[in-house]
Amino acid sequence: MTGERAKRFPLGLEDLVREPRRADARGAKAGAARPAASKPAATRAAVPNLNTQAADRKRSGVSGAVAAKAPSGAKGAAGILNSNAKSAGSSARTPAITKSPSAIVNTKGVTTIRNDGARNQLPRPVTASFERTGAPNVALTSAVTLTSERVRERMVERLRANGITDPRVLDAMAMVPRHMFVDPGLATQAYEDAALPIGHHQTISKPSVVARMIELAAQGRTLANVLEIGTGCGYQAAVLSHVARDVYSIERIKPLYERAKTNLRPLRIPNIRLHYGDGRIGLPAAAPFDAIVIAAAGLDVPQALLEQLAIGARLVAPVGSQDGQSQVLTLVERTGPAQWRESRLDRVFFVPLKSGVI
């Protein structure tokens, strides 16, 4: 090789002979001389580097055949840029994928599905599943909301199997997120058929009891206004709000009254009116009511509440025995100005109904 030719071609003659596809290299060299407008931007930026950086690849131990095999177009340009980054000692790295019979590689919590012979295959992150954690906590991400909806659907199926038939009640039970009304530590139990403590020696009633009392009070009728005695954490009021036009609820324990307001605020329910006061007195200013639901057990039904029932309306309340050993869910229907009919139904257990406020 002459001196002039050596200056024009920095590679040795033996290097040119080893390249398996010399025609591609010549094509790439010829393409570099074409006008810049005839190639995409990525190709114009990378193809001229084929010849000028071949010597660098030779010295760094990278075979020149890699550049010769690079196809034209954007994919070829990306391959050349990756080779240049390796020769320059760039910090950018792609996952090293090697041929192996193994189909899945797990590295630092990221699962990658690997096909034999695949190169530069980026790992795909695996989405965490919330199904393993049971019922969700109070935090409402979209995945937790979907999970709680599925759990509520299963709860509704149990209610239907236990004899709840009013579609309005079933829909209301499915729509209200019960886990928002219990302590975060009890959220995993929110959709079980169990009464849970809410503080101040009070409880949130079982879903089956809530559904049963509301169904008895409604009896398939359209309810204009309903009175609830014993707001508690606000859950039953939220369910009632999907069945009645207006819901009035009274709570005698000030911290629970405040807690109910806090629990209901994110749901933005417009037809609930909370009152802090003595539930045995009722709410004469808003009477008469189409239905009254009492969520605490007394030895009798207060006469003031019976007087606030509209004619034809219903009151549902647990009534305890004189010895305090049992309680019975009682249905009272007002049949006239001074007439009421009482029916005793199911055995239940509620906190006591008391007078005054605290």
Side-chain angles (χ1 to χ4, degrees):
M1 182 182 298
T2 64
E4 180 64 22
R5 185 172 179 83
K7 292 179 181 179
R8 294 175 56 192
F9 297 92
L11 293 178
L13 180 60
E14 63 276 10
D15 294 324
L16 297 177
V17 173
R18 287 178 186 151
E19 292 186 359
R21 296 183 61 184
R22 192 182 307 171
D24 289 349
R26 288 197 300 270
K29 180 179 178 180
R34 295 178 184 175
S38 64
K39 285 184 176 289
T43 306
R44 291 200 306 270
V47 170
N49 294 333
L50 274 172
N51 293 326
T52 59
Q53 296 181 357
D56 293 338
R57 283 194 300 272
K58 177 66 177 178
R59 287 191 296 270
S60 61
V62 179
S63 173
V66 175
K69 290 183 180 180
S72 61
K75 291 183 179 179
I80 294 168
L81 291 175
N82 287 338
S83 299
N84 294 341
K86 290 180 181 180
S87 64
S90 172
S91 60
R93 294 291 185 271
T94 56
I97 306 299
T98 58
K99 296 183 180 180
S100 170
S102 176
I104 299 179
V105 177
N106 194 335
T107 304
K108 295 184 179 179
V110 179
T111 301
T112 303
I113 298 177
R114 185 171 65 190
N115 297 324
D116 290 345
R119 289 197 226 177
N120 296 332
Q121 189 173 3
L122 294 177
R124 296 181 180 180
V126 178
T127 302
S129 174
F130 287 87
E131 289 295 328
R132 302 172 187 168
T133 61
N137 208 327
V138 177
L140 292 179
T141 63
S142 60
V144 170
T145 303
L146 290 174
T147 301
S148 67
E149 287 174 358
R150 289 193 291 270
V151 175
R152 289 201 299 273
E153 288 172 2
R154 291 194 289 269
M155 178 189 70
V156 170
E157 290 302 321
R158 291 194 299 269
L159 295 175
R160 186 179 286 109
N162 289 333
I164 304 300
T165 59
D166 192 326
R168 299 172 302 167
V169 176
L170 293 171
D171 289 344
M173 297 293 291
M175 293 177 67
V176 178
R178 191 170 185 253
H179 66 275
M180 292 183 63
F181 294 87
V182 301
D183 292 333
L186 299 174
T188 56
Q189 305 174 48
Y191 298 100
E192 298 177 3
D193 195 29
L196 300 173
I198 56 174
H200 306 279
H201 306 289
Q202 305 297 305
T203 61
I204 177 175
S205 298
K206 295 179 181 180
S208 59
V209 173
V210 172
R212 172 75 166 149
M213 294 179 74
I214 295 176
E215 184 177 57
L216 286 171
Q219 195 193 22
R221 299 172 298 138
T222 300
L223 300 179
N225 59 339
V226 174
L227 175 64
E228 179 194 30
I229 306 301
T231 309
C233 61
Y235 174 69
Q236 185 167 256
V239 178
L240 281 167
S241 71
H242 293 278
V243 179
R245 185 191 67 194
D246 295 301
V247 177
Y248 299 85
S249 186
I250 303 176
E251 176 55 55
R252 64 180 291 268
I253 302 176
K254 188 64 175 290
L256 286 181
Y257 165 74
E258 297 294 341
R259 176 175 177 175
K261 289 197 299 183
T262 301
N263 290 340
L264 291 167
R265 189 174 294 115
L267 299 179
R268 299 181 180 276
I269 301 176
N271 60 332
I272 295 180
R273 294 164 176 83
L274 300 183
H275 295 268
Y276 172 59
D278 187 348
R280 291 184 63 92
I281 299 174
L283 199 63
F289 296 100
D290 292 334
I292 298 178
V293 178
I294 305 177
L299 298 179
D300 58 3
V301 178
Q303 186 64 32
L305 298 179
L306 294 176
E307 297 287 348
Q308 293 175 33
L309 275 176
I311 295 178
R314 291 182 151 204
L315 179 149
V316 181
V319 177
S321 61
Q322 292 293 334
D323 58 10
Q325 298 299 316
S326 63
Q327 298 175 4
V328 178
L329 191 64
T330 303
L331 171 65
V332 179
E333 301 173 80
R334 188 170 190 177
T335 58
Q339 295 175 331
W340 295 267
R341 182 173 60 239
E342 182 178 298
S343 303
R344 291 179 173 264
L345 305 171
D346 312 324
R347 295 288 295 271
V348 292
F349 183 78
F350 279 79
V351 296
L353 177 65
K354 297 181 178 180
S355 300
V357 296
I358 56 175

